Amino acid sequence: MEKKFIEIENKCRAAAETAGTLAVLSPADKDAMLSVCESALLDNTAAILSANAADVAAAEGAGRLKSFIDRLKLTEKRIADMADGIRQIRELNDPVGEILDKWTTAKGLQITKVRVPLGVVGIIYEARPNVTADCIALCVKSGNCVVLRGSKDAYNSNLAIVTAVKAALVKNKFAAECVQLIEDTTREGAEAFMRQRKYVDVLMPRGSASLINSVVENSRIPVIETGTGNCHIYLEKTGDIDMAARITVNAKVSRPSVCNAAESLLCDEEIAQKALPVILSALCEKGVRIKACEKTAAIMKKQKAAVTTEPATDEDFYTEYGDLIISVKVVKDIKEAVAHINKYGTKHSDSIITNNDPAAAFFLNSIDSAAVYVNASTRFTDGGEFGFGAEMGISTQKLHARGPVGLKEMTSYKYLVKGTGQVRE
């Protein structure tokens, strides 16, 4: 490895050398570590905010989008929420050591399938400093060491958080080597990190489609793919229009930059004349730009609603905007809606608004996404909302983990086999 990347290898090695120690810690010891991490954030709020202010100023100077700034910016409340997230994780049941199955073979071997940590978990992520705290907490609770590699945009924030946590762990005589931050934020540094298969057991990318695709295509470390979120709301012909408006506004507007925000609205043509003016007017009042199909634009023009629309292209329906923009399409029926979502979506989160049980069942069974909703906002796809405390990301793949990657998804298993002298004939 090139000399300039030795830091990356050394930190990954240090995590690997500590993994065995962390894996056998008692639940009480891990909870004590998390209490230390929680206090570290609160005790160092001023230093973390000062570091974050430098990152935000640089991002504003570079002309970054408001949605980007929102993801990057920390406040006293957000830091307090990060600390509370650690507390919530601490209070969850420890998954390590859980017996998943147990049996005796015909030869008298007693086999126990038991949950164990993954080992060393690598994270490559973009400008979300809260992810730093969430990942540390989830990894400690699940007995894993973590190697963090954030973006240059959040470098000062991430460094302040990790510095505070590691200093507190050292002060309290815990294995601070279980938390590592790679300070090289170059593309070459990321590529060097992705070659550390000798020391890192699994790698999780969290961020834009380009980041995730880069990791999936170039990593030599096994990847849990946390996906982008081109999420949909579909108003079926029996659905309640006011409910649809409330859910769509929440899913699009409450935090448009996150992966569980809705990016597309589909509406059954049988209800479109009544529904679209109501829903799109509510969206426009919140400053949402409307990318409309021809049928949607025609309906809005005929209804003379005070809604400005822009023509939607095929590319728009593939797009995760991460901003106050939504694509809108009128569909013939639920079958067309399902086909559209499965074609253009990213297998993240999709919701149907309906009062028809067979329609709901068809949608639930036919949509190939990690989370499928009936009469609820896609914004609920979140580790905290699912009762996981937090999550490492939302996995849209189907191997090992799918949906919010919480504590149990941060483990694997092994077989403990006890005999009385048996040999195989």
Side-chain angles (χ1 to χ4, degrees):
M1 175 164 287
E2 294 181 44
K3 186 176 180 180
K4 62 180 179 179
F5 297 137
I6 292 299
E7 173 238 355
I8 296 172
E9 182 174 344
N10 287 342
K11 288 187 173 181
C12 292
R13 180 190 296 111
E17 291 173 349
T18 309
T21 301
L22 201 67
V24 297
L25 284 182
S26 69
D29 283 339
K30 287 186 283 187
D31 288 347
M33 288 182 71
L34 290 176
S35 292
V36 167
C37 294
E38 177 187 351
S39 297
L41 293 185
L42 297 174
D43 293 344
N44 291 275
T45 294
I48 295 170
L49 287 177
S50 177
N52 180 249
D55 288 333
V56 170
E60 290 175 338
R64 293 285 195 170
L65 295 174
K66 288 183 179 179
S67 56
F68 181 92
I69 301 297
D70 175 63
R71 291 193 299 270
L72 176 63
K73 189 173 184 179
L74 293 177
T75 63
E76 285 192 20
K77 182 180 184 306
R78 286 188 177 181
I79 294 176
D81 287 344
M82 287 159 57
D84 189 57
I86 294 177
R87 177 192 60 77
Q88 291 177 31
I89 292 169
R90 174 169 52 83
E91 293 176 351
L92 295 173
N93 292 330
D94 190 329
V96 177
E98 177 188 354
I99 294 175
L100 301 174
D101 204 353
K102 190 174 184 178
W103 68 96
T104 301
T105 71
K107 297 293 185 179
L109 294 173
Q110 295 179 354
I111 301 178
T112 304
K113 183 180 181 181
V114 62
R115 196 180 294 281
V116 296
L118 292 170
V120 178
V121 177
I123 311 292
I124 296 182
Y125 57 110
E126 293 180 331
R128 295 280 295 275
N130 63 296
V131 171
T132 304
D134 288 348
C135 291
I136 291 171
L138 284 164
C139 285
V140 168
K141 183 73 176 185
S142 56
N144 294 294
C145 292
V146 62
V147 181
L148 302 153
R149 195 276 185 186
S151 69
K152 65 179 181 180
D153 301 286
Y155 171 78
N156 294 297
S157 306
N158 293 334
L159 181 61
I161 293 168
V162 171
T163 299
V165 166
K166 286 176 72 74
L169 290 174
V170 169
K171 182 179 179 181
N172 288 275
K173 301 185 181 346
F174 287 115
E177 295 300 302
C178 70
V179 178
Q180 299 289 341
L181 176 69
I182 291 176
E183 298 185 36
D184 186 321
T185 60
T186 65
R187 180 185 296 272
E188 293 77 16
E191 292 172 351
F193 181 28
M194 288 187 276
R195 293 195 292 269
Q196 298 299 315
R197 185 167 185 169
K198 181 177 179 180
Y199 304 115
V200 181
D201 294 285
V202 65
L203 186 61
M204 299 185 196
R206 185 165 173 176
S208 67
S210 60
L211 169 70
I212 293 167
N213 290 336
S214 176
V215 172
V216 170
E217 292 170 4
N218 296 298
S219 177
R220 297 181 186 176
I221 303 167
V223 174
I224 295 179
E225 183 178 351
T226 59
T228 52
N230 185 10
C231 305
H232 297 75
I233 305 293
Y234 165 53
L235 175 56
E236 191 264 341
K237 62 184 179 183
T238 67
D240 182 278
I241 294 173
D242 290 335
M243 177 191 291
R246 186 169 64 254
I247 287 174
T248 305
V249 169
N250 174 263
K252 176 72 267 183
V253 175
S254 61
R255 201 166 180 194
S257 63
V258 295
C259 64
N260 56 22
E263 305 291 9
S264 194
L265 169 67
L266 306 179
C267 185
D268 194 295
E269 66 179 3
E270 191 169 319
I271 198 174
Q273 295 282 350
K274 293 181 179 179
L276 287 178
V278 174
I279 300 172
L280 300 192
S281 293
L283 288 169
C284 283
E285 287 176 5
K286 298 295 184 179
V288 178
R289 289 170 54 195
I290 310 297
K291 297 290 191 78
C293 72
E294 291 182 2
K295 289 183 178 179
T296 298
I299 288 171
M300 301 312 293
K301 184 176 181 180
K302 180 179 179 181
Q303 296 289 338
K304 297 181 180 179
V307 173
T308 300
T309 65
E310 305 169 35
T313 65
D314 195 58
E315 184 62 28
D316 282 315
F317 293 115
Y318 281 112
T319 300
E320 180 188 21
Y321 297 108
D323 203 350
L324 291 175
I325 309 170
I326 194 168
S327 58
V328 184
K329 182 176 177 62
V330 175
V331 293
K332 181 180 179 181
D333 53 24
I334 190 171
K335 290 184 179 180
E336 184 180 345
V338 166
H340 179 97
I341 293 170
N342 285 337
K343 176 181 177 181
Y344 292 96
T346 53
K347 303 183 186 299
H348 192 295
S349 302
D350 301 289
S351 180
I352 183 174
I353 314 302
T354 183
N355 283 311
N356 182 282
D357 288 341
F362 179 80
F363 191 85
L364 290 172
N365 292 328
S366 302
I367 294 296
D368 186 22
S369 294
V372 188
Y373 294 84
V374 175
N375 296 332
S377 172
T378 56
R379 289 281 286 110
F380 285 104
T381 305
D382 174 85
E385 295 292 341
F386 273 34
F388 298 166
E391 98 272 323
M392 299 291 285
I394 309 297
S395 171
T396 54
Q397 66 180 30
K398 299 178 182 179
L399 295 179
H400 179 72
R402 197 178 194 195
V405 180
L407 285 175
K408 289 188 176 181
E409 290 72 29
M410 295 295 293
T411 64
S412 182
Y413 53 83
K414 66 181 178 183
Y415 296 96
L416 309 181
V417 186
K418 294 182 179 181
T420 55
Q422 291 93 331
V423 294
R424 184 170 179 177
E425 296 175 357

